[in-house]
């Protein structure tokens, strides 16, 4: 997994020794299989999203952006502030009388990506609802079927190329701004996949290759999105102020824990990018003033961290990386606070 930390990040203003370094930060740490960039950052820093501020590109290493099991991450002083460097490990070879296939050496992932890969395959957002009218859609099932499944033929109307595979989607949640009522986007949920066999005019005959639900008339047909989760996934704080809200949890769940996906009511137009980390502020409880009888909301509490992995124009999908308590739809998100650490070196 390529972690492309650009020159701008490498030269970012670094932390002081007293600003966020863990009191029990090791001098050296050997990377093991299963580690992520987020895990390793958390061993050295109180706030893992500050990794780019202390990471230094080592010119002696041909490609310092790939971190592998066996490599050593070490802490050192550079011009009066802490920096993290990298020593290439040689790997470990165990001899055996058996003949075994040795897997290609894989770089560590920046975050746990399995849930993200699965989610990106099954969920998309359309920014402009009117754009749905321009997309291909299912008009009928074979032999007058109302619903179809894997192995069945269906008919779709639109420009579809013979031989290509397409995704079949159904409109899910409508994302709206709670304050203004603005429609932020429509969620599309994957129903299955189909291959275009041939077309006559603008009607395509397709075979359903796989289906997680029954395929119905008016379901949307779109080219598959193949997104490689690579370079941009470097957890970091936004360089500008962001204030937003957890808008929804795809799938209808209300209470949220670590490694769940959430939808935020902020997107690219608000400056959000892949890798941006936001802090979740859990809403304070509502209480009644014992003297005046008025309803009051208590101050919120920082309760977790979310990393953006798929920003759209008006909304974003994020992965919960930390949750100190159960999060909920409606909780606020904002730039992570820079706490002052206690480490002394």
């Amino acid at each position: 997994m390529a972690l492309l930390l650009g020159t701008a990040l490498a030269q970012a203003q670094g932390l002081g020794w007293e600003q966020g370094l863990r009191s029990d930060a090791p001098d050296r740490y050997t990377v093991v299989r299963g580690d992520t960039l987020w895990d390793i950052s958390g061993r050295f820093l109180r706030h893992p999203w500050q990794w780019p501020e202390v990471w230094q590109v080592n010119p002696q290493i041909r490609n310092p952006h790939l971190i592998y099991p066996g490599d050593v991450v070490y802490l050192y002083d550079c011009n009066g502030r802490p920096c993290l460097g990298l020593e290439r490990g040689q790997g470990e070879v165990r001899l055996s009388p058996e003949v075994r296939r040795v897997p290609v050496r894989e770089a560590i992932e920046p975050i746990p990506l399995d849930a993200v890969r699965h989610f990106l395959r099954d969920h998309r957002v359309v920014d402009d609802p009117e754009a749905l009218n321009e997309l291909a859609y299912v008009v009928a099932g074979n032999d007058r079927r109302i619903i179809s499944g894997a192995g069945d033929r269906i008919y779709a109307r639109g420009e579809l190329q013979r031989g290509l595979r397409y995704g079949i989607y159904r409109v899910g949640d409508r994302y709206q701004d709670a304050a203004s009522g603005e429609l932020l986007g429509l969620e599309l949920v994957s129903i299955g996949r189909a291959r275009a066999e041939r077309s006559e005019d603008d009607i395509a005959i397709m075979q359903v290759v796989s289906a997680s639900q029954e395929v119905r008339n008016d379901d949307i047909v779109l080219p598959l999105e193949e997104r490689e989760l690579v370079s941009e996934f470097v957890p970091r704080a936004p360089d500008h102020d962001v204030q937003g809200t957890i808008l929804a949890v795809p799938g209808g769940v209300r209470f949220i824990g670590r490694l769940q996906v959430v939808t935020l009511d902020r997107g690219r137009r608000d400056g959000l990018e892949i890798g941006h980390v936001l802090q979740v502020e859990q809403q304070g409880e509502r209480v009644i003033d014992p003297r005046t009888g008025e309803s009051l909301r208590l101050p919120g509490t920082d309760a977790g961290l979310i990393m953006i992995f798929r920003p759209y124009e008006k909304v974003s999908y994020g992965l919960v990386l930390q949750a100190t308590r159960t999060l909920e739809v409606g909780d606020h998100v904002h730039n992570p606070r820079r706490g002052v650490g206690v480490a002394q070196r």
Side-chain angles (χ1 to χ4, degrees), residues 138 140-148 151-155 205-206 217:
V138 178
N142 193 35
D143 200 22
R144 298 185 179 182
R145 287 178 178 159
I146 299 175
I147 60 176
S148 303
D152 293 336
R153 282 186 168 80
I154 58 175
Y155 299 88
I205 301 175
M206 309 186 76
N217 293 348

Side-chain angles (χ1 to χ4, degrees), residues 28-29 31 40 51 55-61 63-68 70-76 83-89:
R28 300 169 64 85
Y29 174 73
V31 179
I40 296 171
W51 168 273
W55 173 250
Q56 292 294 300
V57 173
N58 190 332
Q60 281 76 39
I61 296 175
N63 189 343
H65 309 300
L66 295 174
I67 303 177
Y68 299 94
D71 290 348
V72 176
V73 178
Y74 62 93
L75 182 66
Y76 68 102
C83 289
L84 291 174
L86 182 68
E87 290 180 357
R88 282 282 184 246

Side-chain angles (χ1 to χ4, degrees), residues 1-64:
M1 182 63 62
L3 307 176
L4 301 182
L5 303 178
T7 303
L9 293 179
Q11 296 177 346
Q13 183 178 1
L15 299 172
W17 283 99
E18 74 286 354
Q19 294 177 306
L21 192 70
R22 288 176 58 107
S23 59
D24 58 349
D27 291 321
R28 300 169 64 85
Y29 174 73
T30 302
V31 179
V32 299
R33 187 176 299 278
D35 275 341
T36 64
L37 174 62
W38 186 265
D39 297 331
I40 296 171
S41 303
R43 291 180 178 273
F44 291 91
L45 306 172
R46 293 180 65 231
H47 306 295
W49 46 267
Q50 292 180 314
W51 168 273
E53 300 182 44
V54 297
W55 173 250
Q56 292 294 300
V57 173
N58 190 332
Q60 281 76 39
I61 296 175
R62 182 176 179 182
N63 189 343

Side-chain angles (χ1 to χ4, degrees), residues 292-303:
T292 66
E294 62 183 317
S295 176
L296 303 174
R297 184 176 291 280
L298 299 179
T301 304
D302 289 341

Side-chain angles (χ1 to χ4, degrees), residues 6-316:
T7 303
L9 293 179
Q11 296 177 346
Q13 183 178 1
L15 299 172
W17 283 99
E18 74 286 354
Q19 294 177 306
L21 192 70
R22 288 176 58 107
S23 59
D24 58 349
D27 291 321
R28 300 169 64 85
Y29 174 73
T30 302
V31 179
V32 299
R33 187 176 299 278
D35 275 341
T36 64
L37 174 62
W38 186 265
D39 297 331
I40 296 171
S41 303
R43 291 180 178 273
F44 291 91
L45 306 172
R46 293 180 65 231
H47 306 295
W49 46 267
Q50 292 180 314
W51 168 273
E53 300 182 44
V54 297
W55 173 250
Q56 292 294 300
V57 173
N58 190 332
Q60 281 76 39
I61 296 175
R62 182 176 179 182
N63 189 343
H65 309 300
L66 295 174
I67 303 177
Y68 299 94
D71 290 348
V72 176
V73 178
Y74 62 93
L75 182 66
Y76 68 102
D77 183 274
C78 53
N79 299 321
R81 63 182 181 85
C83 289
L84 291 174
L86 182 68
E87 290 180 357
R88 282 282 184 246
Q90 299 302 313
E92 185 176 300
V93 177
R94 296 184 180 182
L95 299 180
S96 165
E98 302 175 350
V99 176
R100 294 186 299 173
R101 177 177 295 178
V102 179
V104 176
R105 193 177 184 218
E106 295 182 354
I108 66 167
E109 296 179 332
I111 60 172
L113 292 178
D114 286 343
V116 175
R117 290 191 183 97
H118 173 77
F119 185 85
L120 284 180
R121 185 187 64 208
D122 293 341
H123 293 77
R124 298 167 71 162
V125 168
V126 175
D127 297 318
D128 181 8
E130 294 184 2
L132 292 179
N133 297 327
E134 306 299 324
L135 303 177
Y137 57 97
V138 178
V139 294
N142 193 35
D143 200 22
R144 298 185 179 182
R145 287 178 178 159
I146 299 175
I147 60 176
S148 303
D152 293 336
R153 282 186 168 80
I154 58 175
Y155 299 88
R157 189 174 188 183
E159 296 184 7
L160 302 172
Q161 295 185 34
R162 177 182 177 182
L164 295 186
R165 290 196 176 195
Y166 291 85
I168 304 172
Y169 297 86
R170 187 169 299 150
V171 176
D173 290 337
R174 294 173 63 89
Y175 296 134
Q176 287 185 293
D177 187 287
S180 67
E182 178 188 8
L183 183 61
L184 303 177
L186 293 177
E187 178 192 40
L188 299 184
V189 180
S190 174
I191 301 301
R193 299 188 176 192
R195 181 178 59 251
E197 295 184 333
R198 62 187 178 87
S199 297
E200 292 184 12
D201 298 325
D202 62 344
I203 303 296
I205 301 175
M206 309 186 76
Q207 182 175 33
V208 179
V209 177
S210 62
S212 57
Q213 300 182 41
E214 68 275 5
V215 179
R216 303 174 184 170
N217 293 348
D218 204 33
D219 281 344
I220 296 164
V221 180
L222 283 172
L224 294 173
E225 285 188 327
E226 297 297 336
R227 303 190 187 103
E228 294 295 331
L229 303 182
V230 287
S231 59
E232 300 98 334
F233 281 89
V234 179
R236 64 198 188 281
D239 55 7
H240 58 283
D241 183 58
V242 176
Q243 301 283 337
T245 303
I246 296 180
L247 193 61
V249 184
V253 179
R254 178 171 180 81
F255 298 103
I256 309 157
R258 184 174 180 270
L259 298 185
Q260 282 189 269
V261 173
V262 297
T263 308
L264 305 181
D265 62 353
R266 295 293 182 267
R268 290 193 302 261
R269 70 176 182 179
D270 306 291
L272 283 182
E273 300 175 0
I274 295 174
H276 277 166
V277 174
L278 297 173
Q279 196 152 35
V280 183
E281 182 178 300
Q282 191 174 52
Q283 297 183 81
E285 296 181 6
R286 280 205 170 274
V287 298
I288 302 298
D289 188 298
R291 293 190 177 182
T292 66
E294 62 183 317
S295 176
L296 303 174
R297 184 176 291 280
L298 299 179
T301 304
D302 289 341
L305 293 172
I306 293 173
M307 196 207 75
I308 304 301
F309 66 85
R310 183 64 169 98
Y312 290 89
E313 183 64 20
K314 303 174 185 177
V315 299
S316 296

